[in-house]
Amino acid sequence: AQTVTQSQPEMSVQEAETVTLSCTYDTSESNYYLFWYKQPPSRQMILVIRQEAYKQQNATENRFSVNFQKAAKSFSLKISDSQLGDTAMYFCAFMKWGIGGADGLTFGKGTHLIIQP
Amino acid sequence: GAVVSQHPSWVICKSGTSVKIECRSLDFQATTMFWYRQFPKQSLMLMATSNEGSKATYEQGVEKDKFLINHASLTLSTLTVTSAHPEDSSFYICSARSRSDTDTQYFGPGTRLTVL
């Protein structure tokens, strides 16, 4: 079984600042994906970014980028030029990939990110 | 594209009754759908995985007789909470994986269940 750990229950930064959310995971699997999901007050889960474990290059999506350290089993999310709309719960998630396809997601406990005006 | 809907968005029921929640993929065929549960201010926990036309696979600790899952078509999965009790009150979220993009799960908006 795999575990996902987010050690920061809450973070608060000023608008336009850069913030990094931490995530570590533990697994014995070799084929897997890692995700960051955002859950605003509406509770709709929104995919922020994903990383395939076999790729060495860190994924980026506009203001969002990850620092994927496979050996250390670390997967942090960096948000640049933070905006008020970034305020939300952020979940780090692990997905095993096998012959039958992808499994369900294992989520961390989440980090509540607050962007202050 | 890749829209998943859930119905109802919220439901209140009396203890002992059964409640059915629907999860539909609106613009793609979902070979696999997942059901998650989220308690207030907590994370999502995977309850079960359902593949079209076959029995659902439940996670350890999830009562399969209480949470009945049916995935009768490539666009619809249902979760029925049988003989609901107040402790079943929670936020239930489904996700769907398409045939063409098996690496990504698309989430529904969730259903808030309150059992009185």
Side-chain angles (χ1 to χ4, degrees), chain A residues 33 39 44 50 102 105 108, chain B residues 36 38 43 97 103-104 107:
Chain A
Y33 290 73
Q39 188 179 43
Q44 171 73 56
R50 82 175 194 191
L105 295 164
Chain B
Y36 298 84
Q38 185 178 30
S43 186
R97 191 178 78 205
D103 302 342
T104 301
F107 283 85

Side-chain angles (χ1 to χ4, degrees), chain B residues 31-62:
Chain B
T31 51
T32 304
M33 288 184 170
F34 303 90
W35 287 94
Y36 298 84
R37 185 174 182 176
Q38 185 178 30
F39 288 108
K41 298 187 179 181
Q42 293 190 27
S43 186
L44 284 75
M45 297 292 294
L46 179 65
M47 298 175 65
T49 301
S50 75
N51 292 296
E52 185 265 339
S54 60
K55 287 185 178 180
T57 303
Y58 291 82
E59 296 299 301
Q60 194 171 9
V62 177

Side-chain angles (χ1 to χ4, degrees), chain A residues 17-28:
Chain A
E17 289 184 346
T18 293
V19 59
T20 298
L21 308 184
S22 301
C23 173
T24 59
Y25 61 97
D26 190 25
T27 185
S28 57

